[in-house]
Amino acid sequence: MAQKGRGMGCACLFDMKKRCREGGHLNRNGNRTWLLSGLNTLADLAAASMLWTLCSLPVVTAGLASAALYHTVELSVVQGRGRVASTFLRSLRESWRGALTAGLASLLTGGAACFGIYLCLSDPGGVPLLPLAGCGVLLLFWPAAQIYLYPLIGHFVLDARQVLELVAQLIVLHPLKSAGLTALWLCVAACAVWYPPLLMILPAGFTYLASRIYTPLFFRYIRVPSEGQANPPVETGS
């Protein structure tokens, strides 16, 4: 029954989105009113959030779902190109290898940092400051790395070295924006833990808001060739 109810919820959201798009409620200039446009955006964000939540249930696939979520929000919600479900699923197919590898590496890195801090604090011979500081710095930068890592994998054609270089550049050269995004990310995570039903809107809502900050940063460091070129590689530069 739970699965059936979830499916009916998805159908209702997609139906609401369709009515917002195709309904005849137009203003005098022939454009959708801001209210209908807002409802359409909320329906898109809710649908994308539900897809992210379902695909993140195995935990190890959360990175892959996050990569697909940014790509979907940027194309379907912001630019209005394609439907949410088809864009999300297509992104999963195209970026699964890199995103899954990055997700596993990220989980291991975060777990190792937490375990290292635990070992340092429980050392009976005293707290080793240098290892503790190293693990603390690693854990401090870990959330910001997550915020930048998966959008780069899901939306751009970059190799592993280019992605890691860009993540490091963004964290080091834009510390205030990275700190603000990390604080927002932690608030969203805390709200989701406190009230899990918020997962029906928070993932895509956070991505929509945060992307207004980091998408311009991406294009400051990534040179995207013109559309006339056939499948050209994306170049990076400082």
Side-chain angles (χ1 to χ4, degrees):
M1 289 297 294
Q3 292 180 349
K4 182 177 180 182
R6 188 181 298 119
M8 290 176 64
C10 292
C12 291
L13 281 168
F14 285 117
D15 185 58
M16 182 173 70
K17 173 183 171 183
K18 182 178 179 181
R19 289 199 303 269
C20 289
R21 281 181 171 171
E22 299 178 358
H25 302 282
L26 305 175
N27 60 19
R28 293 180 180 179
N29 296 324
N31 299 318
R32 283 196 300 260
T33 64
W34 64 269
L35 178 60
L36 290 177
S37 179
L39 290 175
N40 185 36
T41 299
L42 286 176
D44 282 337
L45 294 177
S49 293
M50 286 194 294
L51 289 169
W52 180 90
T53 302
L54 291 174
C55 293
S56 298
L57 290 178
V59 179
V60 294
T61 58
L64 174 59
S66 298
L69 180 63
Y70 172 76
H71 184 72
T72 302
V73 169
E74 191 65 22
L75 259 66
S76 297
V77 180
V78 177
Q79 302 180 21
R81 295 165 51 190
R83 295 183 178 275
V84 168
S86 58
T87 304
F88 191 94
L89 295 176
R90 184 174 64 252
S91 181
L92 289 179
R93 292 195 301 268
E94 293 176 351
S95 60
W96 70 269
R97 183 173 300 176
L100 274 181
T101 302
L104 288 173
S106 176
L107 287 175
L108 291 175
T109 301
C114 293
F115 187 65
I117 292 176
Y118 169 76
L119 290 179
C120 291
L121 295 178
S122 60
D123 190 350
V127 178
L129 295 181
L130 189 59
L132 180 62
C135 293
V137 170
L138 181 61
L139 194 61
L140 181 65
F141 287 106
W142 185 81
Q146 311 308 299
I147 293 171
Y148 296 132
L149 178 64
Y150 300 115
L152 288 172
I153 294 174
H155 198 62
F156 300 96
V157 182
L158 302 169
D159 58 36
R161 180 187 61 83
Q162 290 174 322
V163 170
L164 292 177
E165 287 180 354
L166 275 172
V167 170
Q169 280 183 313
L170 291 169
I171 293 175
V172 173
L173 298 180
H174 305 278
L176 294 180
K177 290 182 178 180
S178 298
L181 289 170
T182 300
L184 180 60
W185 184 83
L186 292 173
C187 290
V188 168
C191 290
V193 172
W194 173 67
Y195 191 61
L198 289 175
L199 287 172
M200 295 298 101
I201 191 63
L202 281 181
F206 166 78
T207 302
Y208 182 81
L209 293 176
S211 65
R212 302 311 93 201
I213 298 174
Y214 57 62
T215 296
L217 294 180
F218 291 163
F219 286 102
R220 185 182 301 181
Y221 295 96
I222 299 176
R223 295 190 294 271
V224 181
S226 61
E227 296 182 358
Q229 295 177 264
N231 298 323
V234 176
E235 300 178 357
T236 61
S238 57

